[in-house]
Amino acid sequence: MDMTTTLVDHTFRKDVRRCFEQQTYALPARWLYDRRGSELFEEITELPEYYPTRTETKLLRDHGADFAKAIGEGRAVIEFGSGSSVKTPHLLRAVNPAAYVPIDISGEFLEHSAAILQDDFPDLPIHPVEADFMTRVELPDAVADLPKLGFFPGSTIGNMIARSSVDLLRFMRETLGIGSQLLIGLDRVKDPNVLIDAYDDSAGVTAEFSLNLLNRINREFEGDLPVEMFSHVAIWNDDYARVEIYLEAQADVTFSIDGKKHSLSKGQRIHIENSHKFGLRDARLMLRAGGWSPLCDWSDEQDYFTLILAEAHPYKHAP
């Protein structure tokens, strides 16, 4: 077991203990993405109700010439939370990078995805990094002297509360350095019915994705959570402009994790994910708070989704 895996296990265990022992009943969304979770999320992106992936992919496909003009060639593309890297080829073809560095917390899934991408881009140096991108990441020496473009698609930043999202942007800035660029995907505020359908699909794949978190806890921490006694719940919270995802106990349940007994009452919920939606002004303000200056943006005709290109300028200490 390497140091990264040990750290992830320790952090995951700490979060699980806080959830049940301190009765916060909340877990960070990043723990949804073990290997099985990552596979299920890829299935979600193909669902008819789940518009973000196909909308963002179309933006990446249609605006290649714009990216080439705004970004230029020869940068190292650093993708945070790369997953299957399914959208990445559109960007790589547009900007002709000098190297590609996918960063993901799921090492096995990362290596598999990198190998597939290498087949499509045999001459492109690819340097996978297994790491938690919620902190500063040490990049490979091979890209140290290259100009860098961070790539953060999928509106993953919407999973975080405001403080955490700004912290993440600052960590990205530290990882990439002054003068680097960041291309980030952001899901827009829209009809709540469209949003709920996207996060509670008729085929039940999103529910399986959420419940897999309980399977992971059982597997990794000798738990006996009765997964079949929980259901996936998605609601729109207009005050916070976000979809909230919960696992709700359908009956009184008692279970063990790491040898310690816990219980939940019928109707009690574990908060496992937020998906914040943004207006353009909100998004630009968030980027600036994280140390990034927006340069330009691209949106679809319905304003369902936006890609923003920003740059890390030196901090100013006065207006």
Side-chain angles (χ1 to χ4, degrees), residues 50 79 101 137 205 208 217 229 232 242 251 272 275 305-306:
Y50 195 78
E79 184 170 359
V101 180
V137 177
V205 181
E208 185 180 354
I217 292 172
M229 298 304 295
H232 163 89
R242 70 189 186 193
I272 61 167
S275 186
F305 204 94
T306 295

Side-chain angles (χ1 to χ4, degrees), residues 222-239:
E222 299 182 352
D224 59 3
L225 277 151
V227 179
E228 71 282 359
M229 298 304 295
F230 287 84
S231 64
H232 163 89
V233 176
I235 65 170
W236 170 249
N237 186 328
D238 196 61
D239 287 341

